[in-house]
Amino acid sequence: MGIYLNPGNDLFRQAVNSKIYVDKSMLIEATNSLLDTSDKHICISRPRRFGKSMAANMLLAYYSRDCNSRDLFSKLKISRSDSFEKHLNKYNVFRFDIRGFASKSDNIKFMIDRLEKAIIRDLKREYADLDLPDDYTSDEMLLEIYKTTGIPFVFIIDEWDCIFRVYKNDSEGQQLYLNYLRTLLKEQPYVALDYATGILPVKKYGEHSALNMYREYSMANQKRFAEFTGFTADEVVSLCKNQDMSITDMKKWYDGYMVNGFEIYNPQSVVQAVTEHCFDNFWTKTETFEALQMYIKIDMDGLRQSVIRMIAGEHIPVNTGKFQNDMVSLHSADDVLTLLIHLGYLTYDFDTKTAWIPNKEVQQEFINCIEDGGWEEVMNSLRQSDELLTATLACDADKVAEILEEVHRKNTSIIAYNNEMSLSVTLALAYYSARNSYEIFRELPSGKGFADLTFIPRKDVDSPAMVIELKYNKTASNALEQIKEKHYTEKLAAFSGEILLVGISYDESKGHSCIIEKIVK
């Protein structure tokens, strides 16, 4: 049924006993600090495969009074916390998997009825000795039990938002569901902690939310829970060392999520990479993949350009404040991009208010989604990227100019033509395959200014570094001289080997020219 009252610690024990287990038990210290306070209602939203259910099972094992979990936690970090003994196995715990109820229901109202009956059934079974009237609702029974026993309840609601994905257009049913949760949880003395997890933050209706008691922690701002969102850099370095895996490749494939200052890796993909001892795209093609295919093709002003810029490696500004926290109320490109942040296809920096594609795994998903359906010019640019990189490394300036002219011309319908910004985006697309062997930086501060594009070889890659300068309505020689005069190679002081200086220009007639000079440090 997807509902359990005090079920024990078996699920968390299986996680701890697994070959790969990363200790995230200090999440418990964070939730302990919120017990029985005005901040006890927590809604933590993360993408699929980011450990939501594992965290729910851990909290269940720790708080549930129906089991003894001391030995299970004795070797974990939380056992050294001052709050460990105080709250260990002291609470009634309800764990709801809303997805289980939704999968067995034809509509939201029927799902709510099943949930209500299941709560009442478990309460009567657990407290058979109490005289609980048959006409009591679940919240009335919970209050009566709390008054009688003095034992408060912890509520752990997994996949709380799944109805907003399963029943996307049933706004009436969604409001019934939100009102049901409000009656069950808001301002109820029997609630010690209310921990809800899902992909989306709390649904908004108009100016107010039925669940406005929640403190929300989303992929746009995880705040105090940031380090528990996924695997941190230190945790992945330790895993790679113990499992003899390349941290460079792990970072390239699964890193890139920036969460309130923490560098976060996709945990499930890291586990699969370590378990299979290989690096691959482990992104499961679920409903979220279908959402990516669907939403990036929506004809909204600026959306297509933003997607192209991010595929090219750009960070773009996103206003996340207007998003209505569902998958249908999308009125602007910002709404679509905010949804993709919550689904894990983009990462978001709360301080700069910018979003970008986090890593190679997700980048490949974007490429998969645009292979057809009106993105042919972009795909052709990506397919030519190997040829362009080969020509650049061979110092074939004429071939470089020829390819760039074709790529730039074919993408004029997507990106404005006559400015250096548009050419730099086009260049990043055209050099797409170079990401396999280079770290690519746009507007890298160096010397007396900012180098337009800087290519630094990845570890163990025997290729020259490159600095590219772009000029509009000037000459390629002007671009090359600027690299030298402003010392744009200064950031490469620690790099020993060949450096290619690449000057590129284009003019109003859409002619491109290129000069490449090789220096050795």
Side-chain angles (χ1 to χ4, degrees):
M1 286 292 296
I3 184 169
Y4 307 93
L5 174 58
N6 296 326
N9 54 26
D10 291 343
L11 293 175
F12 183 57
R13 179 182 289 110
Q14 293 172 17
V16 174
N17 290 340
S18 298
K19 177 183 177 181
I20 307 300
Y21 173 72
V22 174
D23 185 355
K24 289 291 187 180
S25 62
M26 291 307 288
L27 168 66
I28 296 171
E29 184 174 63
T31 56
N32 280 348
S33 69
L34 303 177
L35 280 163
D36 203 26
T37 71
S38 58
D39 293 332
K40 64 187 177 183
H41 299 281
I42 310 163
C43 182
I44 296 182
S45 55
R46 300 175 191 161
R48 287 199 180 282
R49 309 182 313 142
F50 269 69
K52 297 187 296 294
S53 294
M54 192 284 291
N57 293 335
M58 178 178 69
L59 295 177
L60 168 65
Y62 174 76
Y63 288 117
S64 176
R65 70 182 183 86
D66 205 39
C67 57
N68 185 340
S69 305
R70 182 172 281 100
D71 290 344
L72 182 59
F73 286 95
S74 63
K75 296 181 181 179
L76 302 183
K77 295 175 185 177
I78 186 60
S79 65
R80 299 186 289 275
S81 169
D82 292 339
S83 68
F84 176 65
E85 290 287 346
K86 180 178 180 181
H87 300 290
L88 177 65
N89 302 136
K90 296 292 198 306
Y91 298 86
N92 283 312
V93 180
F94 259 117
R95 186 190 192 283
F96 308 151
D97 180 358
I98 300 300
R99 179 177 49 188
F101 284 91
S103 67
K104 296 179 174 67
S105 305
D106 294 330
N107 56 66
I108 297 177
K109 186 179 185 304
F110 185 47
M111 188 206 76
I112 295 170
D113 290 340
R114 291 178 70 98
L115 177 59
E116 173 73 357
K117 289 176 182 177
I119 295 174
I120 291 173
R121 178 203 64 209
D122 274 22
L123 289 174
K124 285 191 170 184
R125 180 183 299 159
E126 184 79 7
Y127 292 96
D129 56 325
L130 296 184
D131 184 19
L132 297 172
D134 291 336
D135 61 347
Y136 266 24
T137 58
S138 61
D139 59 297
E140 291 172 326
M141 283 190 179
L142 287 160
L143 183 58
E144 184 67 24
I145 291 168
Y146 172 64
K147 288 180 177 179
T148 303
T149 66
I151 302 172
F153 286 79
V154 168
F155 291 85
I156 301 173
I157 309 175
D158 202 7
E159 296 282 356
W160 87 273
D161 64 324
C162 76
I163 69 158
F164 300 101
R165 305 191 303 275
V166 176
Y167 307 106
K168 296 179 183 179
N169 299 303
D170 185 3
S171 59
E172 182 179 347
Q174 291 170 9
Q175 291 189 58
L176 285 174
Y177 172 67
L178 293 177
N179 289 333
Y180 176 78
L181 291 181
R182 178 182 61 189
T183 300
L184 182 68
L185 301 168
K186 186 176 181 180
E187 298 179 352
Q188 295 287 12
Y190 52 75
V191 178
L193 179 71
D194 167 19
Y195 181 93
T197 73
I199 294 176
L200 300 175
V202 174
K203 168 65 182 169
K204 301 173 184 176
Y205 280 102
E207 296 180 358
H208 305 288
S209 169
L211 303 182
N212 59 6
M213 73 282 196
Y214 274 112
R215 299 291 185 268
E216 296 187 58
Y217 304 89
S218 74
M219 292 303 286
N221 192 357
Q222 284 278 328
K223 301 170 224 177
R224 71 180 85 191
F225 293 98
E227 66 180 293
F228 309 115
T229 304
F231 291 168
T232 65
D234 289 343
E235 290 165 344
V236 175
V237 167
S238 179
L239 268 179
C240 287
K241 182 178 179 181
N242 293 337
Q243 302 295 327
D244 192 27
M245 299 282 287
S246 166
I247 183 59
T248 301
D249 287 336
M250 193 74 79
K251 181 179 180 68
K252 178 173 65 175
W253 273 94
Y254 313 119
D255 188 17
Y257 292 93
M258 185 58 61
V259 184
N260 295 88
F262 282 88
E263 182 183 345
I264 295 295
Y265 288 69
N266 181 320
Q268 185 60 35
S269 292
V270 170
V271 168
Q272 287 187 259
V274 171
T275 301
E276 303 298 334
H277 214 76
C278 70
F279 299 100
D280 199 355
N281 185 348
F282 295 111
W283 196 275
T284 303
K285 291 176 173 55
T286 62
E287 61 186 290
T288 56
F289 175 80
E290 295 172 0
L292 178 63
Q293 288 183 305
M294 180 189 308
Y295 293 124
I296 67 172
K297 295 180 180 180
I298 293 176
D299 185 17
M300 283 186 173
D301 183 42
L303 178 60
R304 188 180 178 88
Q305 291 88 341
S306 294
V307 171
I308 297 302
R309 287 177 61 190
M310 289 188 293
I311 290 176
E314 298 261 318
H315 293 205
I316 63 168
V318 178
N319 177 5
T320 63
K322 300 188 291 80
F323 183 57
Q324 292 300 301
N325 300 343
D326 63 30
M327 301 180 80
V328 294
S329 303
L330 305 173
H331 305 296
S332 68
D334 281 335
D335 288 343
V336 176
L337 297 174
T338 303
L339 174 60
L340 296 182
I341 291 168
H342 293 301
L343 295 178
Y345 284 100
L346 300 176
T347 187
Y348 179 77
D349 188 317
F350 179 78
D351 293 325
T352 64
K353 311 298 188 212
T354 57
W356 63 97
I357 298 172
N359 52 47
K360 181 175 180 178
E361 182 180 41
V362 182
Q363 185 89 19
Q364 186 57 52
E365 290 301 290
F366 274 86
I367 302 305
N368 292 343
C369 287
I370 68 169
E371 278 193 318
D372 51 29
W375 301 76
E376 288 79 8
E377 296 89 350
V378 178
M379 288 304 303
N380 287 335
S381 300
L382 301 183
R383 293 185 184 108
Q384 286 182 290
S385 59
D386 283 332
E387 184 182 6
L388 177 62
L389 179 60
T390 298
T392 307
L393 295 176
C395 296
D396 188 345
D398 290 340
K399 188 65 174 178
V400 169
E402 176 188 331
I403 295 174
L404 286 178
E405 186 166 324
E406 180 181 357
V407 170
H408 200 184
R409 175 175 50 79
K410 286 183 177 180
N411 286 285
T412 54
S413 63
I414 299 173
I415 303 170
Y417 193 88
N418 288 324
N419 60 60
E420 290 181 20
M421 168 78 77
S422 71
L423 181 56
S424 66
V425 173
T426 304
L427 267 178
L429 284 175
Y431 279 104
Y432 179 81
S433 67
R435 299 181 191 193
N436 293 323
S437 50
Y438 286 94
E439 292 278 355
I440 303 175
F441 301 92
R442 186 175 177 276
E443 296 288 346
L444 181 69
S446 188
K448 299 178 181 179
F450 298 84
D452 284 333
L453 285 171
T454 303
F455 294 64
I456 299 177
R458 296 186 184 275
K459 185 179 179 182
D460 300 326
V461 172
D462 185 19
S463 295
M466 298 189 291
V467 177
I468 300 179
E469 181 64 22
L470 316 170
K471 286 297 177 187
Y472 171 59
N473 269 349
K474 294 184 180 179
T475 67
S477 297
N478 294 145
L480 201 65
E481 287 304 314
Q482 183 167 317
I483 295 175
K484 297 175 181 178
E485 291 175 2
K486 295 195 174 182
H487 305 288
Y488 285 164
T489 60
E490 187 176 277
K491 280 286 187 180
L492 302 175
F495 178 78
S496 59
E498 294 182 344
I499 300 177
L500 299 185
L501 310 183
V502 183
I504 298 171
S505 71
Y506 69 112
D507 56 33
E508 292 178 350
S509 65
K510 301 186 180 180
H512 291 61
S513 61
C514 175
I515 296 178
I516 302 176
E517 183 176 315
K518 182 185 298 184
I519 63 174
V520 179
K521 296 198 67 174

